[in-house]
Amino acid sequence: MLTLLSMFYYICLRRRSRSGTRGEALSSRRAVESGQRATLPISVEVEQYAKEVLDFSSHYGSENSMSYTMWNLAGMPNVYPSSGDFTQTAVFRAYGTWWEQCASAPLPFRRTPKAFHSQDYIELAFEEPVYPTAVEVLETYHPGAIVQIMACSLNPFSQNPPTDIRWEVLWAEEPTKVLTPQARQFSPSIKQLSFPTNLIRVEVNSSLLKYYTELDAVVLRGQKDRPILSLYKMPRIDICDLSDSDEDLSDPGHINLGNGYFDKLPYELIQLIVSHLTLPDLCRLTQTCKLLHQHCCDPLQYIQLSLQPYWARLSDTSLGHLQGRCTLLQRLNLSWTGNRGALTLTGFSSFMNACGGSLVCLELSCCHFLSEPCLEVISQTCPGLQELNLSSCDRLHPQAFTHISKLTQLRRLVLYRTKIEQTAMLSILTFCIELRHLNLGSCVMIEDYDVVASMLAVRCRSLRSLDLWRCRNLTERGLAELAAGCRLLEELDLGWCSTLQSSSGCFQHLARNLPCLRKLFLTANRTVCDSDIEELAANCPALQHLDILGTRMVSSSSLRKLLQACPKLLLLDVSFCSQVDARIVQELCGLFPNVAIKKSFTQ
Amino acid sequence: MFSVLSYGRLVARAVIGGLYQTDSRDYSLVTAICGFGEDFRKGILKKGMCYGDDACFIARHRSADVLGVADGVGGWRDYGVDPSQFSGTLMKTCERLVKEGRFVPSNPVGVLTSSYYELLQNKVPLLGSSTACIVVLDRQSHRLHTANLGDSGFLVVRGGEVVHRSDEQQHYFNTPFQLSIAPPEAEGAVLSDSPDAADSSSFDVQLGDIILTATDGLFDNMPEHMILQELKKLKNTNYESIQQTARSIAEQAHVLAYDPNYMSPFAQFACDNGLNVRGGKPDDITVLLSIVAEYTD
């Protein structure tokens, strides 16, 4: 009798497994098995530090250094549980809202979903794929920046990578204010995964922080064996899934009435309503009825398109489906998308050919799918392009940048952490004379910044902001020519430019020649002295942001003069300035409450 | 006839010796440290691996064992700068570079160059100067690669005899080559040598070779024959005996440094240069004593 029952049960199970998906059968079989087992097996919990840093969007340190760079996040912690500003930690390039306040900041894109807060990211590979039970991040300075933790189904060390790569969100939350700068171990409760992972992505937002956040290590805890609890299959909403069915609804010649009150509303009003929807909602709405399909596919809804929040799901097919609607596209954000084969040259160039004609702004930060032909396509299809962001596209071949010189209407160009070389740079400056904002931070392949500065002074006289962060060989000659030629300069970042010597008078000359100066970063220039500060006080009343980290030659008296002379000053960073101790900072904060005076510490 | 036989034996021995030359075992350095800071109050191992203004490090990597010493230049104290900060940070940075694999075993000068560059990347404005000596043992190739800038140095002893010794690099008397970071106002006046100015050498080592790396506090107070005499007492390759020998060398140098009548190598050199002095040279002493042994995990 028992054998008959068990046979019957077995046959039913097999039939179910044939009709259902393999995943469901596995989980059901395991449920059956676990029910029959007397004791559950002890699953081995594995604790790992990150083995390798695969990708990141920015960092504070220099490209071939181990100080304040993202590569410090791999391996065991070096600083935790101490708190402070140490070299052995991973630090991002920016913090707070200071960079967003600058004129060089891009305008935010419409339709950004409220749940998307990420500003920077870092991807870590661990040795063994596990089913994660916990992810701990050891933050050692100004914690609280982490807003999202994600896991990938791909094993970055595998020889044959699969074609379908899934990213799951383990944890996500809005940025919250953490009051103390002290170290902490951040371990949010994470979601259970249905696949093992050894590729973790941490996304951060530092806008509520008072200073740079610093991360020491990331710990991944997980089980090697799949957890017993069965997992329901998470419905994946893909943009291309939603766009699939628009073919069915095209039926010309059939006058459609019966949309109820929607027929009474003016076209523009429905357009206005629909303009508040996020992109996935817009794609879903397309499928509801013919009227809304017409509204949602109207190219006027796609004047601005930000695909950055959907980077994990964007593919060539998605772009293909959106192509038809984006003929009037003016601003496109593809930052962070397309990596690991999701976007290819074919998909990208087809999209650009269809939609690039009116494009004014193109954000391509961290787009590692980009290659030289992609830039060639951009230069051919977007003649009116005014803004181009290639930040952290460090795998882009130097030859690719020569195509940028064809974009003669360019006003904003971001080349942070790219491998652009001198000849391509000079070629761009020769032809793109409308440049207002130029970011050459950490462009290590440019040999002589004096020549670049000199070219800027001659050709790009409308320049408003210039970021020369970590440009190692700029001297007072180049700076003098720059000050003479680009008189409208408002923002100048000369952080970590060690070849500039105050004794040459270059900073005083700068102050006298740039009265519109609003932002000046002289981070870690150990030669900045009192006379430079006094000259700034006398000549730059519009000054808002000043960073003089690490100089021993500035005293509190010149700072007082500066604070009195520059009423608009909002940010003053005097970290590691030995003559300006905590007591003086406190005193100045009391006298000038509108100014955020930053004084970092090591211990 | 006899000569033919002996010649044949020589040839045979050479051939067989050449065939068995390839020793596929990995080598490692078993190292012990001992030292004394000049200032008694500071005590031993003040900040871990620091003796007075001297600093040192030992680092293991999959491909190599690396040691280093750095002698901070004491003159900075007169300008309100703690000389041990520069040497200590330099050595700690070298250690970190090695542990993270950011070095090439056959290029110890690269370790110094990278470490010096990292010091300049620190937000904290470091000041000071020091000598530096880096010793790298490449596990697989059995070669010792060294870089020396200044008057610290190393000795390699095999079979009771010194087979290699580093040369001192001096600009003039008591002014060794030194890596330095100066305040901007004193940039022209402060001696600052480039890491590229370091002397480098490479040679094969054998199991049982003794390597002594030390700052000038040792070499200025103990002549070579005294050091060799102490090393003769080293019988086996375990850590305890090496530690004991290192301590006895350091203690002896420490005692001699304060002996006013002893004709130390420092005093001898001074006399040769026309300065009539006698006695030891009180200084920070750091001794790293290593033996080449088989690699065990």
Side-chain angles (χ1 to χ4, degrees), chain A residues 60 62 64-68 71-72 85 87-88 211 470 496 501 526-527 549-550 552-553 576 602, chain B residues 79 81 92-97 100 102 117-127 183-185 187:
Chain A
Y60 186 91
S62 186
N64 49 354
S65 165
M66 55 180 197
S67 303
Y68 315 109
W71 299 298
N72 289 334
D85 197 347
T87 58
Q88 303 100 311
Y211 206 61
R470 293 190 180 274
W496 296 90
Q501 304 283 327
R526 321 289 180 176
T527 64
L549 179 148
R552 303 163 68 254
M553 298 164 71
F576 306 109
T602 45
Chain B
Y79 298 93
V81 179
K92 279 204 203 83
T93 312
C94 286
E95 185 181 351
R96 213 179 129 215
L97 278 169
E100 297 194 8
R102 287 172 168 261
Y117 174 73
E118 291 294 334
L119 289 191
L120 294 170
Q121 298 305 309
N122 199 326
K123 283 185 187 178
V124 176
L126 290 170
L127 291 178
E185 63 265 28
E187 208 122 88

Side-chain angles (χ1 to χ4, degrees), chain B residues 208-255:
Chain B
D209 281 356
I210 300 172
I211 302 162
L212 177 82
T213 317
T215 54
D216 65 343
L218 174 74
F219 298 119
D220 281 346
N221 286 307
M222 260 180 97
E224 219 171 82
H225 64 87
M226 269 197 207
I227 298 175
L228 285 173
Q229 213 167 14
E230 284 299 318
L231 289 177
K232 276 197 182 66
K233 300 177 193 167
L234 186 59
K235 289 301 172 198
N236 41 12
T237 62
N238 64 359
Y239 178 75
E240 286 73 30
S241 357
I242 301 174
Q243 176 72 69
Q244 210 172 357
T245 316
R247 180 168 295 131
S248 72
I249 293 176
E251 275 171 355
Q252 199 171 357
H254 191 62
V255 163

Side-chain angles (χ1 to χ4, degrees), chain A residues 429-449:
Chain A
L429 295 180
T430 311
F431 294 104
C432 302
I433 57 174
E434 299 292 330
L435 274 177
R436 301 272 194 278
H437 309 287
L438 180 61
N439 185 332
L440 296 177
S442 291
C443 287
V444 295
M445 304 291 280
I446 296 181
E447 296 102 44
D448 193 344
Y449 272 95

Side-chain angles (χ1 to χ4, degrees), chain A residues 202-420:
Chain A
V202 176
E203 295 190 352
V204 301
N205 177 318
S206 314
S207 56
L208 292 180
L209 299 182
K210 291 226 156 26
Y211 206 61
Y212 296 93
T213 186
E214 298 190 359
L215 311 177
D216 201 357
V218 175
V219 181
L220 175 65
R221 284 216 176 83
Q223 296 171 359
K224 284 209 211 159
D225 306 310
R226 190 179 177 151
I228 299 297
L229 290 168
S230 66
L231 305 151
Y232 63 95
K233 201 163 174 202
M234 188 73 171
R236 283 177 64 210
I237 298 162
D238 204 328
I239 293 171
C240 49
D241 291 341
L242 303 169
S243 311
D244 260 334
S245 47
D246 55 9
E247 291 86 8
D248 305 327
L249 297 172
S250 60
D251 189 1
H254 179 67
I255 302 161
N256 200 341
L257 293 168
N259 290 311
Y261 289 104
F262 277 93
D263 283 328
K264 295 192 179 164
L265 293 174
Y267 190 87
E268 294 80 5
L269 193 58
I270 304 179
Q271 284 280 291
L272 180 64
I273 295 169
V274 157
S275 70
H276 290 286
L277 293 173
T278 59
L279 192 60
D281 288 340
L282 198 62
C283 293
R284 286 186 197 113
L285 198 62
T286 308
Q287 300 174 307
T288 51
C289 67
K290 270 202 73 186
L291 176 72
L292 289 175
H293 174 82
Q294 189 189 6
H295 277 288
C296 293
C297 292
D298 192 324
L300 287 173
Q301 290 294 327
Y302 299 87
I303 305 248
Q304 288 188 25
L305 183 62
S306 174
L307 295 169
Q308 184 181 356
Y310 315 106
W311 64 266
R313 298 174 280 171
L314 196 71
S315 63
D316 275 345
T317 27
S318 324
L319 277 189
H321 285 298
L322 288 168
Q323 211 167 295
R325 311 171 197 184
C326 295
T327 47
L328 297 178
L329 193 58
Q330 287 181 10
R331 302 187 72 220
L332 175 62
N333 185 351
L334 284 174
S335 294
W336 300 7
T337 62
N339 298 328
R340 299 199 170 87
L343 285 183
T344 62
L345 170 64
T346 341
F348 181 72
S349 49
S350 146
F351 189 82
M352 294 309 289
N353 274 307
C355 316
S358 331
L359 211 58
V360 159
C361 167
L362 184 55
E363 302 277 329
L364 293 170
S365 165
C366 308
C367 287
H368 300 302
F369 72 89
L370 287 176
S371 55
E372 194 195 328
C374 293
L375 284 209
E376 193 175 358
V377 165
I378 296 172
S379 69
Q380 286 164 348
T381 57
C382 312
L385 199 65
Q386 291 181 10
E387 297 183 38
L388 179 61
N389 183 347
L390 292 170
S391 176
S392 286
C393 289
D394 52 358
R395 294 170 218 185
L396 204 49
H397 193 269
Q399 195 63 22
F401 297 98
T402 49
H403 298 287
I404 299 177
S405 47
K406 298 179 201 140
L407 302 164
T408 53
Q409 305 296 314
L410 265 186
R411 289 183 169 214
R412 183 177 147 254
L413 180 59
V414 180
L415 296 172
Y416 169 64
R417 285 190 70 236
T418 58
K419 303 266 185 291
I420 186 168

Side-chain angles (χ1 to χ4, degrees), chain A residues 521-535:
Chain A
F521 270 35
L522 297 171
T523 323
N525 186 308
R526 321 289 180 176
T527 64
V528 177
C529 61
D530 279 332
S531 15
D532 298 323
I533 303 295
E534 280 161 17
E535 206 66 39

Side-chain angles (χ1 to χ4, degrees), chain B residues 35-47 49-56 70-74 77 82-88 283-286:
Chain B
F36 294 93
E38 189 189 344
D39 188 347
F40 293 105
R41 289 169 300 177
K42 286 196 177 151
I44 301 169
L45 279 177
K46 171 173 69 161
K47 278 180 276 196
M49 304 283 212
C50 277
Y51 300 99
D53 298 333
D54 283 354
C56 61
D71 183 351
V73 171
R77 201 164 272 118
D82 177 7
S84 64
Q85 198 192 23
F86 188 90
S87 53
D283 195 2
D284 302 314
I285 298 166
T286 306

